[in-house]
Amino acid sequence: MILEKSNKFSCQVNLSPDDFMPVTKEQQENLVTMGGNTSYWKDAWRRLKENKIAMISLIVIVFFIVFAFIGPYLSPYTYGQQIRGHENLTPCMAHPFGTDKLGRDLLVRTMVGARISLLIGIGSALIVLVIGSIYGAISGLSGGKVDVIMMRIVEIIYSLPDMLIIILLRIVLNEPLTKAFDSGKAFGALQTLGPGIIAMFIVYGLLYWVGMARIVRGQVLQLKEMEYISAARALGANNRRLIQKHLLPNCVGQLVVTTMLQIPSAIFTEAFLSFLGIGVSKPLASLGSLASDALDGIASYPYRLIFPALAISIIILAFNLFGDGLRDALDPRLKK
C-alpha cells in the first residue's frame, strides 16, 4: 500500500542530450557566482564604475576642481588685475573668455568664482551632514516624547518659506559680521573668506539640515530594533556609543548620497543670492555674481553671461548625475 502511494506521486524526468550542452556566454554572464570576499565599498565602487554617466560626471567634477583651485595659479593674470586697453575684449587667444569693462580677464575670474561656489557648496553640505546626522540620530534613538518634540521643531522649520528666511538672515547677519571682520583678527583664517561666505554657512547651519535629520531618523528607527543593537545595550553601551559606533556607520550610504546631492543645491542657492546681489561680498565673486555683473551689457557682450552661466549649469548637472549614480551603487538591493 505504501509502495503504491509512493509510485502514485513519483514523477519521471526525461532528459535529452541538449540538457547537457555547455552554457552560452550570455548565460554565463547572467549566472551569479560566489567569488572571493569583498568589502562593501569595493563592491560599491565596482557598481559605480559600471555606470558610465556617473563616471563621466565624476571626471567633470574633478576637472572643475582642478580648474577652480589650480587654474588661477597657472594664469598670467590675477583675479583683480585691470589691464588698460583691454576693456570689453571678445574671446581671443590672450583672453579665452574675454574681458569685462574694467579690463579684467574673465577666465581667471570664472576660475575664482567656481572656487568660491564649490567652497560654499561643499562647506554647506558638510555643515548639513554634521548637524542633521547628529540631530536625527538622537531623535530616532531616544523615541517617545523627545522624538515628538524634536520632530515638531523640524516640521516648524520646514513650514517656513526658506528662500525668504535665507534672504532675511543674510541681510541681518551681514552688518554684524562685517563689523566683526573689520575689527581685527577675530576670525583668524576665515578672514580671507569674507563675511558673505560665513553668513551663507550660518544660514545653511540654521535651515537646511532638516532634510538630513529626517533621513537619518528614519534609518535609526529601523536599525535600533536590530539584534546587534540589543546586544550592544546588554553589554552596557550608552546612547552616545550606539550612535557613534553602530548607528551612524550603518547609515553611511544614505549620508554620503544625501550629502552629495546637497552640494548642487547649495551651489544653486548661493548663485541665486549672489545674482540678486546679497550673496558673497565684494571684492570676492562667485559664478552667480559674475552672471549678475554681465547683465549690464548682455546685448553687446553676451559672452560675459554665457561662460559663468554655463559653468554653473555643468557643475550642478554633474553633481546631480554623480549623486544619482552613487545612490545606485551604495544601495545593496541593486546588487547583481
Side-chain angles (χ1 to χ4, degrees):
M1 192 67 179
I2 297 177
L3 182 59
E4 292 178 358
K5 289 185 177 180
S6 63
N7 291 334
K8 181 179 179 180
F9 292 102
S10 63
C11 60
Q12 183 177 2
V13 179
N14 295 322
L15 298 176
S16 65
D18 295 337
D19 296 324
F20 297 94
M21 294 294 293
V23 295
T24 63
K25 184 177 180 180
E26 182 179 357
Q27 291 172 333
Q28 289 178 353
E29 293 176 354
N30 295 331
L31 183 64
V32 178
T33 58
M34 296 300 295
N37 293 332
T38 183
S39 66
Y40 171 76
W41 292 105
K42 287 183 179 180
D43 197 41
W45 173 243
R46 177 187 61 81
R47 292 197 297 273
L48 182 63
K49 288 192 296 184
E50 295 175 355
N51 191 330
K52 295 181 180 180
I53 296 178
M55 294 306 297
I56 293 175
S57 301
L58 178 60
I59 294 173
V60 172
I61 292 171
V62 172
F63 167 78
F64 270 99
I65 291 175
V66 174
F67 176 81
F69 289 91
I70 300 179
Y73 298 103
L74 303 178
S75 174
Y77 311 106
T78 60
Y79 170 73
Q81 181 180 357
Q82 300 180 16
I83 308 172
R84 292 186 177 181
H86 287 203
E87 294 84 359
N88 296 324
L89 289 181
T90 57
C92 57
M93 291 297 295
H95 304 282
F97 284 12
T99 60
D100 61 7
K101 60 183 178 182
L102 299 178
R104 295 174 296 188
D105 183 70
L106 287 179
L107 175 60
V108 69
R109 288 180 64 80
T110 303
M111 292 177 180
V112 176
R115 178 194 299 178
I116 299 299
S117 297
L118 287 172
L119 282 175
I120 291 178
I122 296 173
S124 301
L126 293 177
I127 292 174
V128 169
L129 170 65
V130 173
I131 298 177
S133 59
I134 294 175
Y135 190 95
I138 294 174
S139 176
L141 184 61
S142 300
K145 293 183 179 180
V146 176
D147 181 38
V148 172
I149 294 174
M150 295 180 73
M151 284 300 102
R152 295 298 82 77
I153 295 175
V154 169
E155 291 172 1
I156 291 173
I157 297 177
Y158 255 122
S159 65
L160 299 175
D162 54 350
M163 194 55 65
L164 176 61
I165 299 300
I166 289 175
I167 294 174
L168 291 176
L169 285 175
R170 176 64 183 84
I171 295 175
V172 170
L173 293 173
N174 183 60
E175 184 175 352
L177 284 175
T178 302
K179 291 181 179 179
F181 272 82
D182 294 339
S183 63
K185 303 178 180 179
F187 291 88
L190 297 179
Q191 193 88 14
T192 57
L193 296 179
I197 297 179
I198 303 301
M200 292 291 296
F201 288 157
I202 294 175
V203 166
Y204 268 85
L206 291 175
L207 293 179
Y208 274 78
W209 53 267
V210 290
M212 177 72 75
R214 278 188 165 182
I215 292 174
V216 174
R217 173 182 175 269
Q219 293 290 314
V220 170
L221 288 176
Q222 295 178 2
L223 293 173
K224 74 175 185 178
E225 303 298 333
M226 304 295 287
E227 289 80 1
Y228 70 91
I229 298 296
S230 301
R233 286 187 183 276
L235 293 173
N238 55 22
N239 289 342
R240 180 178 179 180
R241 182 171 180 81
L242 288 175
I243 292 174
Q244 290 180 344
K245 301 295 183 180
H246 301 286
L247 294 175
L248 288 183
N250 284 282
C251 299
V252 66
Q254 288 287 342
L255 294 177
V256 170
V257 172
T258 307
T259 302
M260 185 59 62
L261 293 176
Q262 183 65 44
I263 294 176
S265 174
I267 292 175
F268 176 80
T269 302
E270 180 278 326
F272 174 73
L273 295 178
S274 296
F275 186 81
L276 295 179
I278 56 175
V280 296
S281 303
K282 295 182 178 181
L284 290 176
S286 67
L287 295 175
S289 62
L290 290 177
S292 178
D293 294 339
L295 290 180
D296 294 337
I298 187 173
S300 303
Y301 314 105
Y303 60 89
R304 293 183 189 173
L305 177 63
I306 292 174
F307 291 116
L310 191 62
I312 294 173
S313 302
I314 294 175
I315 291 174
I316 292 177
L317 179 63
F319 271 107
N320 277 317
L321 293 177
F322 181 69
D324 290 339
L326 196 62
R327 178 192 57 201
D328 297 339
L330 293 175
D331 191 347
R333 293 170 296 183
L334 300 178
K335 182 178 179 180
K336 295 182 181 180

